[in-house]
Amino acid sequence: MSNTTELFGSMVFSEAVMQARLPHATYKEVIRSIHHDKRLTPEIATVVATAMKNWAVEKGATHFTHWFQPMTGVTAEKHDSFIHPTGDGRAIMEFSGKELIQGEPDASSFPSGGLRATFEARGYTAWDPTSYAFVKDGVLYIPTAFVSYTGEALDKKTPLLRSMQALNKQALRILRLFGDTETTSVRATAGAEQEYFLVDKSVYDRRKDLIYTGRTLFGARPPKGQELDDHYFGAIKPRVAAFMKELNEELWKLGVVAKTEHNEVAPAQHELAPLFSTVNIAADHNQLTMEMMRTIAKRHGMECLLHEKPFAGVNGSGKHNNWSVATDTGENLLEPGDTPAENAQFLVFLCAVLKAVNEYQDLLRISVASAGNDHRLGANEAPPAILSVYVGDELEAVLNAIMHDESYSGGGKEPFKVGVSVLPRFPKDTTDRNRTSSFAFTGNKFEFRMPGSSQSISEANIVLNTAVAEELRRFADRLEAADDFDAELHDLIRETVKENIRIVFNGNGYDESWVKEAEKRGLLNLRTTPEALPHYLAEKNIQLFEGNKVLSEVEMRARYEMMQENYAKTIRIEAMTMSDMVRKDILPAVSLYGGKVAKAAAAKAALGADIDVSYEKASVKRLAELTAMTAGAADELDDAIAQSADIASCEELSNFCRDKIFATMSELRIYVDEMETIAGAKCWPYPTYGEMLFSVR
Ligand code: ADP
Ligand code: MG
């Protein structure tokens, strides 16, 4: 199929397909359930299932799967065929309403943070009609939520859907206060810009570290990296262009609106941005995008690296989460309007976001915490681990005017009065962009720049939706009780700005001085995952999630365990990979090389005392020192790995992983990287940084 518009969504059981294939009344019911969180009856599900199966079979499907997102961060699927024997040796293709609505995968092999032990091993998947089913590789994929037998969330989708409901409920209350009677639902929207690296398969296959951990654990600096800034937005190489073309087409078929593609800052680094959609669909689509990137890269003889920091000293990869709130009537609630009333409503939502980010800095930081992202946050290419909101100079001037009851300098002489004064127009183009902020207002949405490239965007959006819902709830409680709405509104906004202005920062977030300034303001700077995670269970956070019915305390404790476990596991796998590489490949290669050089030097020296063998001598000497230090550090690392097995407390274990295991890994790397610069290229057992970064030509 060459026609892009025909291609788009061709494998999706979309609203248009449903409208064409379902009886009108059934279609209406499904739409109601999609947009208004209404449950479907089993009778309706049966009708939908049959239509879905017939459509899928026409698209070449023989199997169906309940597609879900366990806490591993990747998606899970188990295929079942539609085949039902008729008893006379023949078979028909069948798919029941029950099979559509509910599945029962074996939950015991997925992380559950102890929920399994406390309750039951069984879990089930429940159809999520708000994200469309699709056909891929002969399988009908049904997006589902994954919960334990007793209803506890075991995945990333369940709390995301709950958080959307919380936001919908509170945002509607605010809209009604402003006289909006038309809007029937409010949805958070997200657009996730995805960064990634492409390396040739031939180099990838020879790097155990990339295979086992997704990042390079060793590697000396190459002669050329990203210094010349000659890659960013540069011409796309034909091989990469061919990959991007196929990727776009495959994503379009699945209804993912892949929109923008370009080269990124580092050599071999690229980015893809889709058009935004509701956060639930955006999260599903981002998972599909990552999976497709991996699969399609292989078809082109390449490997796609989604790790946050595949190469030390080279920019890492992030995933900017652009977020806003929209009504079903098409209004973007973070878009400043034209009238004073519209502006007042915009300010309420803006204030809710400011307050949410200020009060739940810890949760936002935790939503992007991982061993991989720890390498990236605070390095050259990413915001620090400190949360702050960039609002731009104009909006900051407005906030100042409100806070101090002064006139807005860019406008008239009267003090700025919420609901009466008009806001200036904010530029939406890129001229006014601050790219160093962790959370930036970009004219009609916020861009959260901390998420890492491999992470699901669900976590960040669960926190954003819930925290903003909570602030809107408090605002609505106060405004609904007010006698004089306009006066109360003005006071509410002024107070909120005053109390939360410390989170606003328009300067350079990459500058060292900001770290000091942030500390003075009392903002959190949770540098590493083990430092951040314990904040998750703070009383205010439990109240937030419980109060908004997004996560129970039991679910939170389970999630906390899983996050801690995940960090420790990642570090331990990296450490074991390092030890293996050092012992099996690096030390033997360097030792052999040193022996050869020594032999050559001895042979040369035998020819006469006047022959200079100083190069050989110096190399052999330094390599001998380094191999001894490497072997020592490797022993220390193995000891630490062994010790870690006896640590029972998850906090203690992740701290030990960072302070002891990771510290030893860093030391080990220094010795190995120096050896790489001394030993001959032929003896080195792995492709170098230069070979990897410039492998796709
Ligand atoms: P930049 O690289 O300058 O940050 P991009 O155009 O690459 O900008 O990405 C912007 C992203 O923001 C896109 O995914 C876009 O669809 C998304 N976006 C735009 N408007 C909204 C909105 N209202 N809600 C959520 N995301 C949005
Ligand atoms: Mg961006």
Side-chain angles (χ1 to χ4, degrees):
M1 240 185 283
S2 59
N3 188 337
T4 304
T5 51
E6 239 172 76
L7 203 68
F8 185 79
S10 57
M11 300 306 249
V12 182
F13 195 67
S14 62
E15 282 183 30
V17 175
M18 286 189 253
Q19 187 166 22
R21 289 181 171 254
L22 293 173
H24 190 67
T26 315
Y27 168 72
K28 274 266 154 79
E29 280 299 312
V30 178
I31 295 303
R32 246 163 54 94
S33 115
I34 293 174
H35 297 290
H36 302 287
D37 306 323
K38 295 269 178 327
R39 267 183 195 282
L40 281 182
T41 61
E43 293 74 39
I44 299 240
T46 303
V47 179
V48 178
T50 305
M52 210 187 252
K53 184 259 302 171
N54 290 341
W55 168 83
V57 169
E58 281 169 35
K59 297 285 174 191
T62 52
H63 289 69
F64 70 93
T65 183
H66 274 203
W67 185 61
F68 60 103
Q69 301 173 21
M71 291 301 288
T72 52
V74 289
T75 55
E77 54 193 79
K78 178 189 94 195
H79 304 170
D80 279 302
S81 78
F82 291 125
I83 288 201
H84 277 252
T86 48
D88 56 358
R90 290 178 306 149
I92 50 164
M93 301 293 251
E94 239 178 39
F95 185 48
S96 70
K98 199 169 157 275
E99 283 172 313
L100 168 64
I101 289 185
Q102 190 170 321
E104 217 177 288
D106 180 7
S108 62
S109 299
F110 295 102
S112 76
L115 277 179
R116 241 172 18 237
T118 342
F119 299 97
E120 265 238 37
R122 266 189 298 170
Y124 65 88
T125 48
W127 177 34
D128 164 22
T130 66
S131 183
Y132 306 124
F134 54 92
V135 169
K136 183 166 78 69
D137 303 323
V139 178
L140 168 66
Y141 282 76
I142 298 151
T144 57
F146 180 42
V147 293
S148 76
Y149 189 65
T150 39
E152 273 81 20
L154 291 173
D155 68 346
K156 298 190 182 240
K157 186 186 269 271
T158 307
L160 184 63
L161 292 173
R162 291 177 187 160
S163 74
M164 289 176 75
Q165 281 176 20
L167 185 62
N168 176 44
K169 184 171 161 196
Q170 305 305 337
L172 277 175
R173 287 176 69 195
I174 298 287
L175 293 183
R176 297 289 181 258
L177 281 164
F178 279 92
D180 176 338
T181 50
E182 281 176 16
T183 299
T184 55
S185 75
V186 173
R187 291 278 181 263
T189 54
E193 300 164 54
Q194 178 71 49
E195 292 182 339
Y196 60 98
F197 279 83
L198 287 175
V199 296
D200 192 85
K201 192 174 174 325
S202 65
V203 290
Y204 176 91
D205 284 345
R206 291 167 54 213
R207 294 282 318 203
K208 286 182 190 169
D209 45 6
L210 285 182
I211 294 171
Y212 295 141
T213 74
R215 75 179 182 102
T216 54
L217 301 171
F218 300 109
R221 214 168 255 282
K224 181 181 190 291
Q226 63 194 49
E227 303 80 5
L228 296 177
D229 290 328
D230 52 356
H231 192 254
Y232 191 57
F233 281 23
I236 296 170
K237 295 182 187 104
R239 221 176 135 191
V240 175
F243 157 84
M244 287 177 170
K245 181 174 186 289
E246 191 178 341
L247 176 64
N248 284 335
E249 285 173 1
E250 290 301 323
L251 289 174
W252 289 338
K253 281 188 206 166
L254 299 176
V256 179
V257 199
K259 179 101 177 138
T260 313
E261 58 196 23
H262 60 79
N263 286 351
E264 260 299 328
V265 172
Q269 193 185 25
H270 310 278
E271 180 182 302
L272 179 145
L275 200 70
F276 69 95
S277 50
T278 62
V279 290
N280 180 34
I281 292 178
D284 283 359
H285 282 183
N286 182 251
Q287 292 291 343
L288 274 176
T289 301
M290 291 194 285
E291 187 194 315
M292 283 303 196
M293 281 178 166
R294 286 206 168 100
T295 316
I296 292 168
K298 284 188 211 296
R299 287 189 207 148
H300 292 256
M302 300 185 286
E303 285 286 341
C304 174
L305 308 181
L306 290 168
H307 193 280
E308 283 74 18
K309 194 78 172 179
F311 306 99
V314 173
N315 270 15
S317 300
K319 174 146 49 197
H320 295 170
N321 186 73
N322 294 274
W323 180 92
S324 189
V325 191
T327 65
D328 59 344
T329 56
E331 188 187 351
N332 178 350
L333 297 174
L334 289 174
E335 173 108 43
D338 294 319
T339 66
E342 284 168 0
N343 289 167
Q345 185 187 297
F346 161 75
L347 284 171
V348 170
F349 283 94
L350 179 82
C351 280
V353 175
L354 288 182
K355 194 164 183 301
V357 177
N358 186 29
E359 287 177 5
Y360 300 102
Q361 293 163 53
D362 48 358
L363 284 180
L364 283 167
R365 169 66 183 92
I366 290 164
S367 76
V368 301
S370 71
N373 215 19
D374 279 2
H375 296 286
R376 180 181 157 260
L377 296 177
N380 295 322
E381 70 277 18
I386 307 164
L387 257 304
S388 67
V389 183
Y390 167 86
V391 293
D393 294 337
E394 278 196 290
L395 195 48
E396 193 184 25
V398 171
L399 297 181
N400 273 320
I402 295 172
M403 195 162 55
H404 300 117
D405 262 331
E406 287 165 358
S407 74
Y408 161 63
S409 52
K413 292 174 189 64
E414 295 290 306
F416 193 99
K417 197 101 186 102
V418 175
V420 180
S421 309
V422 181
L423 288 173
R425 278 257 149 223
F426 308 111
K428 248 179 296 180
D429 56 83
T430 47
T431 49
D432 192 28
R433 294 283 181 90
N434 175 334
R435 295 189 172 272
T436 66
S437 172
S438 48
F439 202 91
F441 183 64
T442 52
N444 62 354
K445 62 182 162 42
F446 280 94
E447 183 172 5
F448 185 27
R449 297 208 177 94
M450 287 167 91
S453 48
S454 72
Q455 296 174 323
S456 158
I457 61 165
S458 296
E459 300 291 350
N461 288 301
I462 291 167
V463 176
L464 267 173
N465 295 344
T466 313
V468 172
E470 172 64 17
E471 306 305 354
L472 291 175
R473 183 188 67 76
R474 294 178 198 167
F475 290 178
D477 282 352
R478 180 167 161 185
L479 292 171
E480 280 168 1
D483 294 327
D484 182 343
F485 177 76
D486 289 334
E488 193 70 33
L489 181 67
H490 185 80
D491 289 350
L492 171 82
I493 289 179
R494 197 182 50 205
E495 281 167 36
T496 308
V497 174
K498 242 186 199 161
E499 283 160 17
N500 298 282
I501 196 74
R502 67 167 187 173
I503 200 76
V504 173
F505 175 63
N506 283 341
N508 181 0
Y510 291 7
D511 203 275
E512 202 33 50
S513 64
W514 165 232
V515 178
K516 291 201 190 78
E517 162 73 16
E519 197 181 328
K520 256 194 249 149
R521 295 189 187 188
L523 298 178
L524 289 171
N525 184 6
L526 305 168
R527 287 181 183 79
T528 63
T529 300
E531 202 179 335
L533 291 184
H535 290 258
Y536 188 67
L537 294 174
E539 194 49 45
K540 71 169 176 74
N541 295 337
I542 295 177
Q543 271 174 17
L544 171 76
F545 282 130
E546 284 214 320
N548 288 283
K549 299 195 169 62
V550 173
L551 288 168
S552 68
E553 185 172 344
V554 171
E555 288 171 324
M556 285 181 75
R557 291 197 180 277
R559 267 158 206 269
Y560 174 69
E561 290 266 325
M562 288 186 258
M563 290 187 280
Q564 288 279 20
E565 227 173 59
N566 195 285
Y567 176 82
K569 276 185 187 161
T570 306
I571 300 284
R572 280 167 49 97
I573 290 170
E574 289 186 350
M576 288 190 269
T577 304
M578 256 191 152
S579 171
D580 179 274
M581 290 170 82
V582 161
R583 292 186 192 286
K584 300 240 173 73
D585 303 328
I586 298 170
L587 284 176
V590 175
S591 168
L592 217 64
Y593 173 79
K596 272 190 200 158
V597 177
K599 227 173 170 178
K604 273 190 191 175
L607 293 178
D610 56 337
I611 293 179
D612 188 339
V613 288
S614 56
Y615 157 72
E616 287 84 352
K617 236 174 138 172
S619 306
V620 173
K621 182 167 183 287
R622 186 64 188 147
L623 284 177
E625 285 164 4
L626 287 166
T627 43
M629 290 193 284
T630 302
D635 287 346
E636 215 181 299
L637 189 61
D638 286 346
D639 280 349
I641 296 168
Q643 270 179 51
S644 69
D646 298 328
I647 304 175
S649 131
C650 68
E651 289 87 5
E652 224 178 282
L653 177 60
S654 62
N655 280 321
F656 181 85
C657 283
R658 179 194 58 195
D659 299 337
K660 182 68 196 164
I661 300 187
F662 186 69
T664 312
M665 284 165 60
S666 307
E667 186 193 334
L668 186 55
R669 175 169 187 155
I670 293 173
Y671 306 145
V672 171
D673 288 359
E674 189 184 335
M675 290 200 290
E676 188 187 328
T677 65
I678 301 172
K682 279 217 179 83
C683 89
W684 201 252
Y686 305 117
T688 63
Y689 262 38
E691 284 164 336
M692 286 184 281
L693 287 167
F694 298 95
S695 61
V696 177
R697 282 188 289 267

